[in-house]
Amino acid sequence: MSQQQVEEILHDKYLPFTEGELKEHFVEKMQGDTSNLSRHTDYFKNSIGRYRQFDGVNALATGDVKTVRQIEKDERFWTVAALMTMYHSHSDIRDTGFIQMLAGAFGPTPPLASFSSWEECLAGDVQLYFEPNLPSPPCYREWLQQNLDHPIPYVREGAQNKKGENRANLEGATNVDALLINASNGFAVLIEAKVLSDISCQVSYDIKRNQIARNLDVMLHSDDTMTSPLNKRSPGNSLFMLLTPQTFKDNPHARFYGYKFREYATDPRALANDLPHRGIEELEGLGRRMVGELGGLERD
């Protein structure tokens, strides 16, 4: 029997896949980075282990209910289970599912000059990865080095090297929740998922940089030194999708991202204000490559 045949699924409801199947969707697997690969999978296994303490036990009798039942509101589980279910379907069903998802978000045709249909976007070697690191654009790191503006003294001091100059590496890579990428043509969808949480509204050294702006910024940057197929992604053929529960699609202003998302999608000047290292000409039309409405993501 093969390893996949003898492996048990991780959880019949919240992650109905084997550990081996899950591992295939992390870049660290193809890099041979076993320590970081284990860090990813251990997160899911440990959370499932805690949840099994709750199974069959009255919630009031369970110690830390919020910790034990974290899986029920964990956006990482929601995202992984939903997208892996689509990806591991029969090829015809998989393609239909992704086409329906993309068409429901962006419209019947892709908002990209290179493609005339979603079928064309998805034709080829389509891969799905969770939590890949996309490098911070050099243009932003250079801008931040020259324009650091932070009110807290110890943060300003921490940004400096031994010469008292601001360091050039004040922002690291951005960890996107999921990336759907076609290595054959460079098409990609960056996916950010939220269940109850809101977007973060600052990073360590830039108090004005929010999570959506950061995702869009890395989407516009390419790096051919990255591990394949990440180095095949075309910034001009990339889309950004935000997945949220239906209630926040119906009531977008209940969250900060509801304001920022729609502002960016309709006014490139608003995005230029939050990405001052990029010219407005570069950001014209970017709103069409963000999902037109906040995407609904539901579980029973």
Side-chain angles (χ1 to χ4, degrees), residues 63 72 104 108 116 127 142 174 177-178 199 219 228 230 236-237 239-240 246 258 264 273 279 281-282:
E72 296 178 358
S116 58
Q127 300 293 327
E142 292 169 7
T174 292
D177 287 337
I199 58 169
M219 185 180 84
S228 180
L230 300 187
N237 292 333
L239 304 173
F240 175 74
Q246 184 68 33
Y264 291 161
N273 286 337
E281 297 82 5
E282 186 179 8

Side-chain angles (χ1 to χ4, degrees), residues 185-201:
N185 58 23
F187 172 74
V189 184
L190 282 70
I191 298 173
E192 179 68 29
K194 297 294 179 187
V195 178
L196 298 181
S197 63
D198 208 333
I199 58 169
S200 60
C201 58

Side-chain angles (χ1 to χ4, degrees), residues 54-288:
F54 161 76
D55 289 349
V57 179
N58 185 291
L60 296 178
T62 306
D64 185 353
V65 176
K66 184 177 180 180
T67 299
V68 172
R69 300 182 64 175
Q70 165 69 16
I71 191 173
E72 296 178 358
K73 67 181 185 69
D74 192 324
E75 55 208 25
R76 294 171 73 174
F77 274 89
W78 284 42
T79 306
V80 168
L83 294 177
M84 282 188 68
T85 297
M86 295 174 64
Y87 188 85
H88 287 278
S89 299
H90 185 275
S91 59
D92 292 341
I93 298 174
R94 183 190 76 174
D95 291 346
T96 299
F98 281 127
I99 288 169
Q100 290 177 343
M101 178 184 77
L102 293 167
F106 296 97
T109 58
L112 302 168
S114 301
F115 305 103
S116 58
S117 69
W118 293 114
E119 289 83 356
E120 188 178 353
C121 292
L122 296 171
D125 182 16
V126 176
Q127 300 293 327
L128 173 65
Y129 294 104
F130 299 114
E131 303 173 52
N133 289 320
L134 301 184
S136 180
C139 58
Y140 171 69
R141 287 188 275 114
E142 292 169 7
W143 179 89
L144 183 59
Q145 184 182 24
Q146 300 298 321
N147 295 274
L148 180 67
D149 179 22
H150 204 289
I152 307 303
Y154 76 80
V155 176
R156 295 196 302 269
E157 294 166 6
Q160 296 176 348
N161 58 26
K162 293 181 179 179
K163 296 180 180 179
E165 302 167 338
N166 289 336
R167 292 182 283 108
N169 59 343
L170 294 180
E171 179 175 89
T174 292
N175 190 240
V176 299
D177 287 337
L179 177 70
L180 188 69
I181 182 170
N182 188 339
S184 301
N185 58 23
F187 172 74
V189 184
L190 282 70
I191 298 173
E192 179 68 29
K194 297 294 179 187
V195 178
L196 298 181
S197 63
D198 208 333
I199 58 169
S200 60
C201 58
Q202 68 179 64
V203 295
S204 297
Y205 296 104
D206 189 347
I207 61 174
K208 300 183 291 293
R209 187 166 171 84
N210 70 73
Q211 195 172 16
I212 292 180
R214 183 172 179 174
N215 272 269
L216 293 173
D217 201 15
V218 299
M219 185 180 84
L220 293 173
H221 172 62
S222 64
D223 189 336
D224 58 11
T225 66
M226 296 186 69
T227 301
S228 180
L230 300 187
N231 61 348
K232 307 294 185 183
R233 184 182 66 84
S234 168
N237 292 333
S238 297
L239 304 173
F240 175 74
M241 175 179 287
L242 177 65
L243 295 181
T244 72
Q246 184 68 33
T247 186
F248 297 125
K249 178 179 179 181
D250 297 335
N251 303 278
H253 293 154
R255 290 290 185 271
F256 176 52
Y257 58 68
Y259 291 92
K260 298 304 292 185
F261 188 91
R262 296 199 173 187
E263 183 182 45
Y264 291 161
T266 57
D267 185 0
R269 293 170 299 179
L271 186 53
N273 286 337
D274 290 347
L275 296 178
H277 55 290
R278 295 189 182 274
I280 193 169
E281 297 82 5
E282 186 179 8
L283 302 174
E284 290 282 358
L286 185 61
R288 297 193 308 113

